[in-house]
Amino acid sequence: MSRLGLDRAGASTWRSSHPAATGSESYAAGRCHSRVAEEEDPIVQGLMQDTPLTLPHFFHRAERLFPDKEIVTATAVGRERRTYGEWAERTRRLGGVFDDLGLSEDARIGTFGWNTARHLELYFAAPCTGRVLHTLNIRLFPEQVTYIVNHAEDEVIFVDRSLVGLLWPLLDTFETVRHVVVMDDGKGDVPSPDGGRAVHASAALLGAAAPVAFDVRDENRAASMCYTSGTTGNPKGVVYSHRSTWLHTVGVMTADSLGVSEQDVILPVVPMFHANAWGLAHASVAAGAGLVMPGPDLSPPAIAELIESEKVTVAAGVPTIWMGVLPELAGRDLSALRAIPCGGSAVPRSLSEGYREATGLPILQAWGMTETSPVASIGKIKSTLADQDEDTLADLRSTQGLVSIGVDFRIVTQETTDEVPWDGESRGELQVSGPWIAATYYDDERAGESFTEDGWLRTGDVATVTAEGYIRLVDRTKDVVKSGGEWISSVELENEIMGHHKVAEAAVIGVNHPKWGERPLACVVIAPGETLTKDEVLGYLDGRIAKWWTPDDVVFIDEVPKTSVGKFSKKDLRTRFADHVLPDTE
């Protein structure tokens, strides 16, 4: 039996047998068991139709109601325009391609591609035929790609022609892949077949395939899987069900989340291989929104031009993307733009305010993880707080905001697991639960490290929460600087340093100190054309932070190393500066 059988057995069956989800009196556990109680007592049964929450519903809705809406893809040879009607017909044929290739009923279908309409076809053809979409992160190290392909047991990989050069050297390391399908995005050469695997052109396969019907009845069936970026050890697999994806999609469409609607034109700069493109690929189809796919060119001028020329209303990406795009927006017509969601790492207040000054729109901070599908909170301002002064509002916008409807959270002390006060100061680990939050990792013995005994996901984030419920991430548990038994938030220090107009980027790490255990070291990237000294940086921080938080040293670097999903790679910085000797500040 497939190892994915666990994810298809049904949530109630798994919960009743899993020791981490039983015997708890927590609210989340109570919700999990309420369905079982209702089944035992027919008196409390509702009289509604038992319609499964599966992805064909979103597909059929777009196909029937919005066949003339457009999906635009920027390619190496120009922009391709395709209506939802044309996309739907190709997606049905793609389901026929899976059959023609002889893929199993629950085949894992790997994708190695940019954000394109072709990738969107795979987003729906795989789960809507009962198979499992497996997006491969093109920025992982080669050995990590090999690990996740073999661990997931992919049977086929669809790859953009422009990315063949990255994938081809790894083919001999893939144990279960029988087919490679090349999607022509206008650039790159395709070598001869190698290693006994069949290599196909996607256009030829689609031309020969017959369209298929989409009908999935089990909402707990696996729909897709995505692996964490693997900053320590091998990446860990998260398997999403149709039900979890359906509910997350509706959550993203609510007004107090990203509010995706039919009137929108969505630009997902966040990759489709990273945490489901933050749900925007599914939500756009479900709503019938227009889509603009950026393809391989994610340069600031290209993104800025797409926003203007395609009249984008919602553009979503990580902070490093928006740092580069901001200078490119001067003089452009951005009147259609209504929201700039940003996540992946903390958004510096200076960046958000920079967008407010340039466009009238502050960045809309969102928070989530691969394990949370991913959107779990949004930095919207409550109506009861809207009359606050601009400085207070800017401070609120710099938080991770309020949890999404459907998500529960708690912030607990690691010593006692008691919840910390909602005072905006007390710190603890952020833990979450809900219908689109992972319950475990796929076939991975490390799952016990990330989930509590009563079933909550341990995020690894250190957070505070205000009396109004606004969550602020102050660090990762592995990134806090532990000085003399007290925690210093590297994130808060970074945000303050990046408020200096001569600073492009800044990352703070802890380095060894003979007396205090660790002290902060600031790694600073100077803005182009500027000069900056250590004393200027430290002088700028004076009065902005607690005195004892002041970094013991400042080093200037060419760039902050990034992870495969665009976050600061502090692991690399800690390795680089492991032997750094701090100046004597006693």
Side-chain angles (χ1 to χ4, degrees):
M1 183 179 73
S2 166
R3 287 184 292 175
L4 284 173
L6 171 66
D7 303 285
R8 299 184 178 186
S12 60
T13 301
W14 181 86
R15 289 171 184 135
S16 65
S17 62
H18 196 278
T22 57
S24 170
E25 295 180 0
S26 72
Y27 172 64
R31 276 191 317 172
C32 291
H33 288 286
S34 63
R35 183 182 298 178
V36 176
E38 290 171 359
E39 291 171 354
E40 293 172 351
D41 186 355
I43 296 175
V44 298
Q45 291 294 300
L47 300 176
M48 297 292 103
Q49 296 181 12
D50 189 14
T51 303
L53 307 180
T54 59
L55 296 186
H57 172 74
F58 296 151
F59 175 86
H60 293 146
R61 189 173 193 273
E63 182 181 44
R64 296 177 66 189
L65 298 182
F66 309 108
D68 297 325
K69 295 298 289 290
E70 198 171 56
I71 305 168
V72 180
T73 300
T75 75
V77 293
R79 294 183 194 176
E80 295 179 350
R81 298 181 181 274
R82 191 167 293 160
T83 66
Y84 269 120
E86 294 166 337
W87 168 83
E89 197 272 340
R90 287 173 57 90
T91 303
R92 288 188 181 277
R93 287 185 178 276
L94 189 54
V97 167
F98 300 157
D99 293 337
D100 293 344
L101 293 177
L103 303 183
S104 62
E105 291 183 355
D106 63 353
R108 267 70 84 198
I109 295 173
T111 67
F112 201 78
W114 303 106
N115 289 18
T116 66
R118 292 183 181 88
H119 206 162
L120 189 69
E121 292 163 11
L122 288 157
Y123 251 63
F124 281 82
C128 289
T129 58
R131 297 176 174 94
V132 184
L133 175 78
H134 176 204
T135 54
L136 302 171
N137 188 333
I138 67 174
R139 298 182 182 129
L140 289 179
F141 294 118
E143 58 271 20
Q144 292 177 318
V145 175
T146 294
Y147 172 81
I148 64 177
V149 167
N150 292 336
H151 188 257
E153 299 178 293
D154 292 340
E155 294 183 23
V156 60
I157 296 177
F158 284 75
V159 55
D160 278 335
R161 192 177 119 198
S162 61
L163 293 172
V164 160
L166 287 178
L167 187 70
W168 232 250
L170 304 179
L171 289 184
D172 285 343
T173 69
F174 299 154
E175 299 169 358
T176 57
V177 175
R178 296 186 287 114
H179 301 277
V180 178
V181 180
V182 179
M183 301 178 290
D184 191 354
D185 61 348
K187 184 179 180 180
D189 298 320
V190 180
S192 300
D194 188 27
R197 293 171 182 81
V199 178
H200 314 269
S202 63
L205 291 177
L206 280 172
V212 299
F214 292 154
D215 185 21
V216 178
R217 298 301 179 95
D218 182 1
E219 64 179 26
N220 292 304
R221 191 178 181 95
S224 61
M225 61 194 311
C226 186
Y227 281 70
T228 63
S229 54
T231 54
T232 56
N234 285 320
K236 292 173 282 193
V238 177
V239 181
Y240 310 100
S241 65
H242 281 256
R243 178 178 184 270
S244 71
T245 307
W246 205 102
L247 292 170
H248 180 265
T249 299
V250 173
V252 166
M253 293 168 66
T254 59
D256 285 330
S257 183
L258 300 183
V260 175
S261 78
E262 181 272 336
Q263 300 178 42
D264 278 315
V265 177
I266 309 293
L267 172 62
V269 186
V270 55
M272 295 175 75
F273 56 74
H274 174 45
N276 299 316
W278 298 353
L280 289 171
H282 293 111
S284 297
V285 172
L291 265 169
V292 179
M293 298 298 201
D297 188 357
L298 303 181
S299 65
I303 297 301
E305 203 283 325
L306 281 174
I307 292 173
E308 180 181 34
S309 62
E310 298 295 338
K311 300 188 184 307
V312 167
T313 64
V314 178
V318 297
T320 50
I321 287 288
W322 298 130
M323 288 177 186
V325 170
L326 182 57
E328 300 292 333
L329 297 180
R332 294 186 182 274
D333 178 7
L334 307 175
S335 56
L337 196 61
R338 71 166 181 84
I340 310 168
C342 187
S345 58
V347 178
R349 172 172 164 163
S350 58
L351 179 63
S352 180
E353 289 304 286
Y355 269 84
R356 185 175 69 85
E357 294 169 5
T359 70
L361 294 171
I363 280 180
L364 175 61
Q365 183 155 204
W367 171 80
M369 308 165 64
T370 301
E371 293 90 336
T372 65
S373 292
V375 179
S377 74
I378 294 286
K380 291 287 186 74
I381 304 296
K382 290 182 182 182
S383 60
T384 53
L385 301 176
D387 60 352
Q388 302 292 311
D389 63 82
E390 197 53 54
D391 188 63
T392 300
L393 293 177
D395 190 53
L396 280 176
R397 288 192 291 263
S398 69
T399 72
Q400 279 61 47
L402 305 170
V403 287
S404 303
I405 187 170
V407 177
D408 294 314
F409 81 99
R410 65 188 186 190
I411 298 175
V412 301
T413 59
Q414 294 192 24
E415 294 81 7
T416 65
T417 69
D418 293 333
E419 289 199 48
V420 303
W422 287 30
D423 57 12
E425 298 292 336
S426 301
R427 303 178 177 210
E429 182 184 48
L430 175 63
Q431 299 177 356
V432 293
S433 69
W436 61 74
I437 310 299
T440 189
Y441 292 118
Y442 176 56
D443 192 30
D444 197 312
E445 61 185 14
R446 295 170 294 174
E449 304 169 4
S450 297
F451 299 91
T452 66
E453 291 186 359
D454 56 345
W456 291 65
L457 170 68
R458 300 184 60 186
T459 68
D461 285 312
V462 180
T464 64
V465 58
T466 70
E468 293 281 354
Y470 282 83
I471 297 169
R472 183 186 296 276
L473 301 187
V474 296
D475 222 328
R476 295 287 291 168
T477 54
K478 61 186 178 183
D479 290 336
V480 291
V481 181
K482 303 174 181 67
S483 178
E486 299 292 338
W487 283 0
I488 298 174
S489 168
S490 66
V491 172
E492 292 181 52
L493 266 179
E494 290 158 4
N495 287 342
E496 290 294 347
I497 295 171
M498 284 190 282
H500 195 296
H501 71 280
K502 292 184 179 181
V503 174
E505 292 181 332
V508 173
I509 59 173
V511 294
N512 291 331
H513 189 279
K515 178 178 180 180
W516 303 111
E518 283 186 338
R519 289 294 299 161
L521 170 69
C523 305
V524 175
V525 179
I526 302 174
E530 301 286 355
T531 59
L532 189 63
T533 67
K534 169 183 172 179
D535 288 342
E536 284 182 90
V537 173
L538 298 181
Y540 176 77
L541 292 175
D542 189 26
R544 298 174 184 270
I545 58 172
K547 199 74 174 178
W548 66 278
W549 278 31
T550 303
D552 280 29
D553 203 2
V554 177
V555 294
F556 296 99
I557 58 178
D558 292 334
E559 65 175 337
V560 176
K562 310 296 192 302
T563 69
S564 62
V565 295
K567 299 178 182 180
F568 287 174
S569 180
K570 296 187 183 179
K571 178 182 71 172
D572 290 342
L573 288 174
R574 283 192 288 266
T575 299
R576 177 176 171 180
F577 294 105
D579 298 324
H580 184 79
V581 178
L582 295 171
D584 185 4
T585 58
E586 295 295 331

